[in-house]
Structures are given as C-alpha cells and as structure tokens.
Amino acid sequence: MATTRKRLGDLLVESGLITDAQLQTALADKPKGQKIGDALLQRGYITEQQLIEVLEFQLGIPHVNLFRYPFDPKLFNIVPKEFAKRNLIVPLKAEGDRLFVAMSDPMDYLSVDDLRLSTGFHIETAIASKDDILRTISKYYEDELLEDFFIEQPEETREQQDELTDLDSPIVRLVNQVLSAAITQKASDIHIDPQEHQVVIRFRVDGMLKTERYLPKHMQAMLTARIKIMSSLDITEHRVPQDGRIKVTIDFRPIDLRVSSLPTVYGEKIVMRILDLSSSLNDMSKLGFSPLNLERFMKEIERPNGIVLISGPTGSGKSSTLYAALNKLNQEEVNIITVEDPVEYQLEGINQIQVNPTVGLTFANGLRSILRQDPDIVMVGEIRDRETVEIAIRASLTGHLVLSTIHTNDSIASITRLIDMGVEPFLVTASVNAIIAQRLIRRVCRDCGREMPTSNREKEIFAKRGMEIETIVRGSGCASCNMTGYRGRVAIHEVLIIDDAMREVINNHGTPAQLREIAIRNQTVFLIDDGLAKVKQGITTTEEVLRVALIE
C-alpha cells in the first residue's frame, strides 16, 4: 500500500479531469479541515462518479454500489454510528479476520487505522459515493433502533412529554433521521401528510415530490408534537395554521428550517422548508444567468434608484436571486434594509424586518418606516397590494433602489399586474427599470448523461424559435441521481429592460402584444429561448423547459 500513497489532487490532475490551476484554487479557498475531494465537488470541477472512477483505476480499489447491497445487520454493532458518519464508512461483510468496508475516501488512512485498532480486524476498503454511504447509515443504523416504536403501544404506557424531549427517545431519533435523510438527498422541503390509516413522509428533491416512507397512524400525534416543540409552536392548538422555525445541527452541519402546520381532515399536515444558507449566497455568476442576461441584470441592480422586480411562481428561486443581488451590493458605505415575510436567510450587515400583521407591521407599514431610516437600497419581500406598490414607487422616485418580487407568469404580465393593482401607468414608467422572470428546471445528471439524437418534434420546437439542434443530452438514471436522470437545478431567465419606447406604449395604455414587439426588437431573451439554449449546451432537456415555459 505504501507505494500507492499519492495525493488525491495529483491523481486527478494526472488523469486530466482537472487542471493544476483548478487544484491550486480549490486548495487555497477550501476551509480548514475540508477534504480536497469535497472542495473540488463543491466547485463543480468534478462529479462524484468521476472521483470514484479515478480512485478505482489508479489505486486498484473496487467500487461498490450500496443501492441494493445485502448488508449483515450484526456488523453495524462493530462500527459505531458516530464513527461511521464522521468518517463516511459503512461495514459490508466480515470474512475471518478481515472486515470489508465501503468508504468515500479510501485514501483516509487515519480512519482505516482507527477502525483496525478499535475492531481488531484487518480492514479491506472499497469505494462508494458519499450520498450512498449517508443514505445507508441513515437507513440501517436508525431503523434497527426504531423497530419497537413502530409497534402500537397502549396509550397509558407512554410517558409522552418525556419522550418528546429526551434526546435518546425513539420519536426524537425518528425526527432526526427524517431530517438527516432529507439533507443527504438535498431536499428543499419535507412534507408530513396525515392520511386515514397512515402518515406519509415525502421529500421535494429538485422540485419533484417523492415518497420517502410510510409511518403507522399511531405515530402521528407524537411526530407532530415533537416537530411543534422543536419549532416553539403551541402543541395544544390543532385547529388553526401555525408557523415556526427550527435551528438544529444535523450530521455536524447547522440547519435552518421553516415550519408550517395546517389542520386537515386527518390531522395536521406539516411542511418544513430546508433553508440552505450556502446555496442562497451564491456568486451571481452561479445562478444560471446567460452572459447577456447577467450583464443586463448587473447593470440594473447597480443603478442608484428605480425598481427591479423578479417575477415567477412560488418555488422558482426568486428569493435566492434577490439575496445573491443583495450580497453583491452589500458594501460598508451602503445602508440596505429589507422587509420580508418571513426572513428566510439572515445576512450579516443587512437590516432585516420580519412582517408581523398581528401587531400591524405589514409590508406597507414596514416600508413606510424604512424610508425614515436613511436607506440606500430597500428590498421588499413581495409586492402583493396597491398600498405596498405605491410606497415602493415613492421610494424609487426619491432616490432609492428598490428590489422586490411579484407573482406573475412572465415579465410583460408584471406590467399589466401593476396597472391592475390601480397604479397609474405614468408612475409605472417613471419607477420600474427592469423586470426579471425566472423559473427553475432540473439539470441532466452529469454521471449518466449521454448524447442522443433529437426527435422530429424537438427539431420543430427549436426551428420555431429560430434554432437548430442535432443531439440532446439525456440521463439514463444511476445511483447518483436516484435513477431519475436529473440531479440539481438551474434557473432560466427573461430580463426585460423598460426603455423609452416601452414607456411610451405603457403611458398610452398599449397592449402586451405591442410591448412584446418592442422586447423582441431589443433582443430580449425570453424564458423559452433561454431554456432551449441550455438544452443545446447539454444542461437540461426539452421536456424540462416545456414544463415551465410556453412556446408562443
């Protein structure tokens, strides 16, 4: 083994997957204690599958797929759960004095030595993906501990209150396991759906809901109560919706969750939105903007005054784009104040106000108060009524840059919506600088994506938008993407700049069709065009684009 102890970074450079410059950048920027493989994955220089293939080829260590591996449950007592999680190791099988384990980093010789000393076995390593290992740990270590809890117990034998707060109780472990599984799968939301005879737990991964597990009906009350205790909600109130927040550390990572409970026929449905701070403060260049759209957007948010609106339905990444813009604008000499409902991410150096209608703190009242605080940039979470939009317009006309979101289908519809709210057309034209429509679409999995010839229907769709395409990249499905063919999401955009010609049409009560003609003359890239351009680049598929954008 001593002859093969090469550094991982050098192996990847030798195999041509990354350049030496990329390696040096990752080494310089990575936090202390982070492994170089994780740093390269985080920056998107390599995929986990590529990393595994290099290690398999260079070191002669076999790769194992844990998706349907026949594990021996007794071995999970030999390797403690904490050790397995911290070092990403799963025991596979024991033969004589040898213990076979799967590791995400088989070059982590310190962990191998620790395991050899603690178990007394000679350790044989295999490679498995990090997600595969975390899924296995979450499933096998916890399921064994929770077996008794799945059997219905008489009500009087449970000391419920102790159960709900004791960190070693089955219900606490079950909730932690659900949270851990959701974070491992990079879910954005956890849905706990009560049904007549069972409770269904579903995760929203890459915008699509999928069932994670079914729980017996008798566990519903304790599960709901545990989540309510964690989020400081009233556990005695079951008749009205409630909202709360949870801050927990799962798998050595601090996690922020936004919790909403809603009374239904079969009990309270709970939805937990997982707020991943690391993804929200993205560099502007990582949000999926095309070079032209990015240049136009940056120009608009750097103006000293006016309104920039981001439009799209719930869950289309509007908040992430706004936060990325605020992060870019956040300088020492600038006073930024936001009014949000709710405050999703807490940003350092920015004054954030939480809307609270019960005490009269609405968007409009909060915005009115902000203007007395000498702001340079104001961010309003959402424009949803006439009063809010009028104060936002007043703020923009008195020398402030206002960033906000609006719920409409595209950028031109946002102008119609503002006028429908009762705003005079001349106020819209005097204040609004740009409107950005945004949607999220799934990315083709980089590990199983393959080039394929396009269908005649796809060629027609591209031809209609003045484009040509011969091949398209599709994912066949692998362990990395849970057999879906997609992994991760990317945004598509439509950046509409309000120029003088548009202002004239709006002031003369022109039609959306007239505005669209001017937008085409100004070379505006519409949602469908930006999406199809990403199909040509091999980032996504035509089906994904047509799921969120219409062909005119």
Side-chain angles (χ1 to χ4, degrees):
M1 282 299 281
T3 54
T4 61
R5 292 199 177 198
K6 274 189 177 183
R7 289 186 309 176
L8 176 60
D10 298 333
L11 288 178
L12 291 165
V13 173
E14 277 176 31
S15 60
L17 284 174
I18 60 169
T19 63
D20 195 45
Q22 287 175 326
L23 174 61
Q24 297 312 322
T25 305
L27 284 168
D29 294 348
K30 76 181 180 74
K32 195 176 179 184
Q34 188 184 33
K35 292 179 179 174
I36 185 61
D38 288 341
L40 292 166
L41 286 170
Q42 203 177 323
R43 279 164 184 74
Y45 292 158
I46 53 169
T47 70
E48 198 157 14
Q49 199 57 39
Q50 288 173 330
L51 182 61
I52 287 169
E53 282 168 9
V54 165
L55 291 172
E56 190 176 14
F57 177 73
Q58 296 280 2
L59 306 179
I61 297 173
H63 165 225
V64 61
N65 188 345
L66 307 180
F67 204 54
R68 290 195 180 87
Y69 194 86
F71 289 100
D72 179 356
K74 296 191 196 78
L75 294 180
F76 292 105
N77 298 324
I78 295 173
V79 182
K81 181 186 166 192
E82 277 67 33
F83 183 87
K85 261 190 175 170
R86 194 178 304 111
N87 301 295
L88 296 172
I89 289 180
V90 168
L92 298 172
K93 58 182 179 179
E95 286 180 1
D97 64 343
R98 293 186 303 165
L99 176 67
F100 291 81
V101 297
M103 300 177 70
S104 71
D105 179 9
M107 301 173 81
D108 183 358
Y109 301 111
L110 291 174
S111 298
V112 172
D113 288 344
D114 284 351
L115 195 58
R116 182 173 53 78
L117 292 168
S118 63
T119 61
F121 281 96
H122 177 70
I123 306 299
E124 296 280 350
T125 58
I127 311 168
S129 76
K130 185 178 175 180
D131 287 350
D132 239 6
I133 290 173
L134 285 171
R135 257 198 299 269
T136 304
I137 292 170
S138 171
K139 187 176 177 187
Y140 287 92
Y141 276 96
E142 288 293 359
D143 278 1
E144 201 179 345
L145 296 169
L146 294 167
E147 266 171 21
D148 297 338
F149 189 54
F150 283 79
I151 302 162
E152 186 155 11
Q153 304 159 23
E155 198 65 38
E156 60 273 14
T157 63
R158 294 195 197 125
E159 294 183 8
Q160 286 207 350
Q161 203 56 40
D162 294 343
E163 286 271 294
L164 294 170
T165 51
D166 177 10
L167 296 179
D168 287 324
S169 73
I171 187 65
V172 172
R173 288 205 304 263
L174 173 66
V175 172
N176 288 347
Q177 182 193 348
V178 168
L179 295 178
S180 177
I183 287 148
T184 302
Q185 294 180 40
K186 297 182 174 60
S188 60
D189 300 84
I190 303 167
H191 289 242
I192 297 171
D193 294 334
Q195 295 181 356
E196 190 172 3
H197 303 296
Q198 62 189 2
V199 179
V200 182
I201 295 180
R202 298 188 292 169
F203 293 165
R204 189 177 289 282
V205 181
D206 293 337
M208 297 292 178
L209 273 173
K210 67 180 197 66
T211 301
E212 173 64 14
R213 70 193 305 170
Y214 296 94
L215 298 177
K217 186 70 176 174
H218 75 267
M219 295 173 64
Q220 181 182 325
M222 290 187 75
L223 182 65
T224 305
R226 172 60 189 160
I227 292 167
K228 283 184 163 186
I229 284 171
M230 290 173 78
S231 45
S232 306
L233 299 179
D234 182 355
I235 63 168
T236 62
E237 182 57 80
H238 309 290
R239 297 160 303 170
V240 295
Q242 296 185 69
D243 292 310
R245 259 189 125 94
I246 301 177
K247 284 195 172 187
V248 285
T249 301
I250 301 285
D251 301 343
F252 317 105
R253 282 173 60 191
I255 299 297
D256 209 353
L257 300 136
R258 201 172 82 212
V259 182
S260 168
S261 80
L262 183 74
T264 69
V265 179
Y266 298 119
E268 287 178 278
K269 172 178 167 69
I270 291 180
V271 176
M272 293 184 273
R273 163 70 54 93
I274 300 169
L275 303 173
D276 187 355
L277 197 60
S278 59
S279 67
S280 75
L281 298 182
N282 262 331
D283 188 357
M284 290 293 296
S285 58
K286 291 179 185 166
L287 289 176
F289 277 102
S290 66
L292 176 65
N293 279 344
L294 181 61
E295 184 191 325
R296 288 178 172 178
F297 182 57
M298 293 301 293
K299 189 177 170 186
E300 292 308 315
I301 63 168
E302 284 166 1
R303 285 178 182 270
N305 60 286
I307 298 178
V308 176
L309 291 174
I310 300 182
S311 84
T314 307
S316 56
K318 299 187 299 294
S319 298
S320 295
T321 304
L322 272 185
Y323 280 118
L326 287 180
N327 208 39
K328 172 80 178 166
L329 298 168
N330 190 6
Q331 307 289 335
E332 187 188 346
E333 62 274 11
V334 177
N335 179 19
I336 301 176
I337 308 180
T338 75
V339 53
E340 304 168 61
D341 181 24
V343 173
E344 290 193 12
Y345 301 102
Q346 279 133 19
L347 306 179
E348 207 173 318
I350 291 177
N351 310 286
Q352 294 170 280
I353 299 169
Q354 168 76 55
V355 166
N356 187 355
T358 53
V359 295
L361 180 54
T362 59
F363 275 120
N365 290 341
L367 189 48
R368 210 176 270 118
S369 305
I370 282 176
L371 298 180
R372 294 195 281 272
Q373 290 276 323
D374 181 34
D376 298 297
I377 297 168
V378 176
M379 192 267 260
V380 185
E382 186 190 331
I383 284 180
R384 52 173 81 147
D385 56 45
R386 181 178 176 174
E387 197 181 2
T388 310
V389 74
E390 282 180 348
I391 301 164
I393 286 171
R394 207 175 307 141
S396 73
L397 294 176
T398 52
H400 304 95
L401 178 67
V402 179
L403 305 178
S404 189
T405 68
I406 188 166
H407 284 234
T408 55
N409 288 330
D410 60 31
S411 53
I412 292 170
S414 304
I415 296 168
T416 316
R417 175 94 176 93
L418 290 173
I419 294 168
D420 283 349
M421 280 182 184
V423 181
E424 291 292 339
F426 74 89
L427 284 175
V428 173
T429 56
S431 56
V432 179
N433 293 343
I435 301 167
I436 293 91
Q438 177 169 317
R439 297 287 188 284
L440 289 178
I441 51 176
R442 292 183 291 170
R443 283 176 177 271
V444 172
C445 173
R446 281 171 64 179
D447 291 328
C448 61
R450 301 284 179 271
E451 273 201 7
M452 295 179 183
T454 47
S455 66
N456 290 334
R457 173 69 183 130
E458 279 173 324
K459 284 179 181 169
E460 279 172 31
I461 290 165
F462 274 82
K464 209 178 261 187
R465 305 302 299 173
M467 299 180 184
E468 285 182 13
I469 190 162
E470 293 303 322
T471 59
I472 192 168
V473 177
R474 283 187 202 285
S476 53
C478 63
S480 298
C481 60
N482 252 340
M483 310 309 288
T484 59
Y486 297 98
R487 191 171 186 200
R489 287 191 290 177
V490 66
I492 57 172
H493 301 93
E494 176 176 303
V495 179
L496 182 76
I497 308 296
I498 310 295
D499 65 356
D500 291 340
M502 277 198 183
R503 289 190 176 99
E504 195 176 324
V505 170
I506 296 166
N507 285 334
N508 293 328
H509 302 278
T511 63
Q514 288 173 294
L515 292 173
R516 193 172 182 80
E517 277 175 30
I518 298 168
I520 292 166
R521 280 208 304 271
N522 293 345
Q523 295 181 325
T524 300
V525 179
F526 293 104
L527 279 172
I528 185 78
D529 300 321
D530 195 31
L532 294 179
K534 285 182 168 65
V535 174
K536 280 194 82 163
Q537 291 164 31
I539 295 171
T540 188
T541 61
T542 319
E543 298 86 52
E544 274 300 292
V545 176
L546 296 181
R547 190 169 57 82
V548 298
L550 296 168
I551 308 177
E552 286 83 11

